[in-house]
Amino acid sequence: MTAATEVQQKPIKEQGLRTLSLSSHVGFDSLPDQLVNKSVQQGFCFNILCVGETGIGKSTLMDTLFNTHFESTPSSHDLPNVTVKTNTYELQESSVRLKLTIVDSVAFGDQVDKSDSFKPIMEYIEKQFDMYLQEELKVKRSLHTYHDTRIHACLYFITPTGHSLKSLDLVTMKALDSKVNIIPVVAKADTITKGELHKFKIRIISELVSNGVQIYQFPTDDETVADLNASMNTHLPFAVVGSMDEVKVGNKMVKARQYPWGTVQVENENHCDFVRLREMLVRTNMQDLVETTHYRHYELYRRSKLQDMGFTDSDNMSMQEMYEMKRHEHVSELQKKEEETRQMFVVRVKEKEAELKDAEKELHAKFEALKKGHADEKKRIEEKKKMLEDEMGAFQRRKATAAQQALTLTKKGRK
């Protein structure tokens, strides 16, 4: 409940206001009519998120709720990851136009490891909040023409096991309850008996309460619908059956599902809670779902986001002063990072210079070693060369002596 609503509910005397009687008709009693006419002219927007396992009947229930055939493609059970599929439709009933967006969780619960199945859904919801916040923070805003894609209602489809909620259901609803209005529904409720269904509903509510899961409660502060909503809160979760097939029952055609043992009428409250769900979701509380999304879930996200950015509420500080403070903090942070980067650069340059100097010393040492080795090798070669030259000289002398001796002997032999 907002502060404005609380003020309105206080007696006029407690508000410190005086009551004046008008001497003649002024005309501001037409304000509600002006609001209605303007709203009808602009049209309305409503976004529904359907979360449930593949084949649970999400598309069929949406067709039955709005009495039309929406475009839908059956998905297989072998997809590797959970994805989010969005379709937007323009509906018109009488003179009222409704832009309806249906968001489907494709392949939810089909993976072997289901621990992260809720994350793509949560990321999608937060992304829509973030897009709206970005539009809100623009200098030139266009909120009156902005297509609001924030999720207003989440229909969570529960498999009619008749025993208890699955761990995946509890984990997912616990992760989403602070971000979206969760309305749990037991899908394909005609597959279990009335007694089993009643016990199953009680067990579901008990498990939700014990695990701290907050589901959407229909408001009871409006006297015109307080009794109806209070009664409908006792029927949660709604046990629903969806079907677009028409069967003749008595003298009229009704939406129903035919079985060998009988016929289940979709709009018969004795057979299922479809009429109650439609009454609560569309006819009675659609506007409250939209307002709760904006004033509760979006405000919580917006507050958390702005606090993460460093903004706080302060009576002693104007927006300009806060902006200047944040700007100064940002500039200081940039300077700090710049100084850290510069110091890191200097350290890395020094480290690189030291590495280059060490490499230079190593190369110089290798050069000196090679130079000394070359000089030693050259000296050994010179010594070997001199030795060979001496041996050649001695050989030549021996050769000349031998030749002289041979000549002398030849001369003596002739004599």
Side-chain angles (χ1 to χ4, degrees):
M1 183 183 298
T2 60
T5 307
E6 292 176 353
V7 171
Q8 290 174 1
Q9 290 183 348
K10 291 181 179 180
I12 297 296
K13 293 181 178 179
E14 292 184 10
Q15 297 180 29
L17 302 178
R18 294 182 300 164
T19 304
L20 299 177
S21 59
L22 303 177
S23 59
S24 63
H25 182 261
V26 177
F28 57 76
D29 58 352
S30 66
L31 276 173
D33 297 330
Q34 296 177 37
L35 290 174
V36 170
N37 294 334
K38 187 174 182 181
S39 298
V40 170
Q41 182 180 2
Q42 292 177 346
F44 299 89
C45 173
F46 193 64
N47 307 317
I48 300 178
L49 168 65
C50 298
V51 180
E53 298 178 0
T54 305
I56 199 68
K58 301 188 292 292
S59 300
T60 303
L61 184 64
M62 288 297 102
D63 292 346
T64 313
L65 269 175
F66 294 94
N67 197 26
T68 187
H69 289 281
F70 295 113
E71 299 175 2
S72 61
T73 304
S75 59
S76 61
H77 292 271
D78 55 357
L79 297 177
N81 299 308
V82 177
T83 57
V84 175
K85 183 174 67 175
T86 304
N87 290 307
T88 302
Y89 307 94
E90 296 280 353
L91 305 180
Q92 183 165 349
E93 190 174 46
S94 298
S95 61
V96 178
R97 292 179 293 108
L98 176 66
K99 180 177 285 188
L100 177 67
T101 300
I102 298 177
V103 183
D104 187 15
S105 57
V106 181
F108 180 78
D110 289 341
Q111 294 73 33
V112 176
D113 183 6
K114 301 178 178 64
S115 57
D116 295 335
S117 296
F118 68 91
K119 289 186 178 179
I121 302 172
M122 186 170 64
E123 289 171 358
Y124 176 83
I125 296 173
E126 291 181 344
K127 182 179 179 183
Q128 311 318 305
F129 283 159
D130 194 55
M131 290 169 59
Y132 191 88
L133 180 60
Q134 289 180 15
E135 181 66 26
E136 212 176 35
L137 296 177
K138 285 182 179 178
V139 175
K140 187 176 181 180
R141 302 184 299 177
S142 302
L143 291 175
H144 62 288
T145 59
Y146 177 77
H147 179 206
D148 188 3
T149 57
R150 295 173 297 177
I151 299 299
H152 300 131
C154 171
L155 293 182
Y156 194 94
F157 290 72
I158 300 171
T159 306
T161 60
H163 300 291
S164 61
L165 286 172
K166 298 180 180 179
S167 299
L168 176 62
D169 297 331
L170 289 171
V171 170
T172 303
M173 283 192 277
K174 183 63 177 176
L176 300 181
D177 65 354
S178 63
K179 302 181 183 300
V180 70
N181 302 313
I182 299 176
I183 302 176
V185 295
V186 179
K188 296 183 177 181
D190 53 340
T191 59
I192 55 178
T193 65
K194 276 192 172 182
E196 291 173 339
L197 182 59
H198 180 68
K199 293 178 182 178
F200 189 40
K201 281 186 171 186
I202 295 174
R203 192 175 294 113
I204 288 173
I205 294 299
S206 175
E207 290 182 353
L208 292 177
V209 172
S210 61
N211 286 276
V213 178
Q214 300 293 327
I215 62 174
Y216 175 74
Q217 295 288 321
F218 301 113
T220 57
D221 52 352
D222 187 352
E223 294 181 358
T224 59
V225 294
D227 295 338
L228 176 61
N229 283 348
S231 175
M232 289 301 172
N233 282 330
T234 62
H235 286 85
L236 289 171
F238 293 124
V240 297
V241 177
S243 175
M244 290 297 288
D245 298 333
E246 292 191 348
V247 179
K248 189 173 183 180
V249 177
N251 296 324
K252 62 179 182 179
M253 302 296 292
V254 297
K255 290 184 175 64
R257 297 182 69 88
Q258 279 189 317
Y259 295 95
W261 45 263
T263 302
V264 177
Q265 299 178 33
V266 174
E267 296 178 319
N268 189 331
E269 293 188 14
N270 293 323
H271 291 184
C272 69
D273 296 329
F274 172 79
V275 174
R276 296 186 179 96
L277 173 63
R278 184 176 62 190
E279 178 73 24
M280 292 294 97
L281 182 67
V282 180
R283 295 179 180 174
T284 306
N285 299 298
M286 180 180 282
Q287 184 59 32
D288 183 76
L289 286 165
V290 174
E291 291 178 357
T292 303
T293 298
H294 181 78
Y295 293 112
R296 180 185 171 189
H297 300 298
Y298 171 69
E299 280 298 319
L300 183 62
Y301 174 84
R302 176 181 173 275
R303 185 190 314 158
S304 175
K305 197 76 173 178
L306 292 179
Q307 286 176 349
D308 291 342
M309 295 168 61
F311 289 95
T312 56
D313 293 330
S314 177
D315 297 333
N316 301 323
M317 187 177 297
S318 65
M319 179 61 73
Q320 182 177 358
E321 291 173 338
M322 184 177 294
Y323 172 77
E324 290 296 333
M325 182 186 71
K326 297 303 297 181
R327 181 178 176 275
H328 179 71
E329 291 178 358
H330 181 66
V331 171
S332 300
E333 186 69 21
L334 287 178
Q335 291 176 348
K336 182 179 177 181
K337 289 183 177 180
E338 183 180 359
E339 181 65 22
E340 290 176 354
T341 304
R342 191 182 68 81
Q343 293 293 339
M344 188 180 299
F345 177 75
V346 170
V347 170
R348 289 186 177 180
V349 167
K350 289 182 178 179
E351 290 176 352
K352 199 66 178 177
E353 288 179 350
E355 290 178 3
L356 290 174
K357 287 181 178 179
D358 292 340
E360 184 180 3
K361 290 180 180 179
E362 186 177 353
L363 287 174
H364 185 70
K366 288 182 178 180
F367 174 75
E368 291 295 330
L370 289 173
K371 184 177 179 181
K372 182 178 179 182
H374 177 71
D376 294 341
E377 187 68 22
K378 183 177 180 182
K379 183 177 180 181
R380 286 195 297 271
I381 291 173
E382 289 293 335
E383 290 177 353
K384 287 184 177 181
K385 180 180 178 182
K386 185 177 180 182
M387 188 182 299
L388 288 173
E389 288 177 351
D390 293 341
E391 290 179 356
M392 289 178 64
F395 175 76
Q396 290 294 336
R397 287 193 296 273
R398 288 196 300 271
K399 182 179 178 182
T401 304
Q404 186 65 32
Q405 290 177 354
L407 181 60
T408 304
L409 290 174
T410 303
K411 288 181 179 181
K412 287 182 178 180
R414 288 179 180 176
K415 294 180 176 180

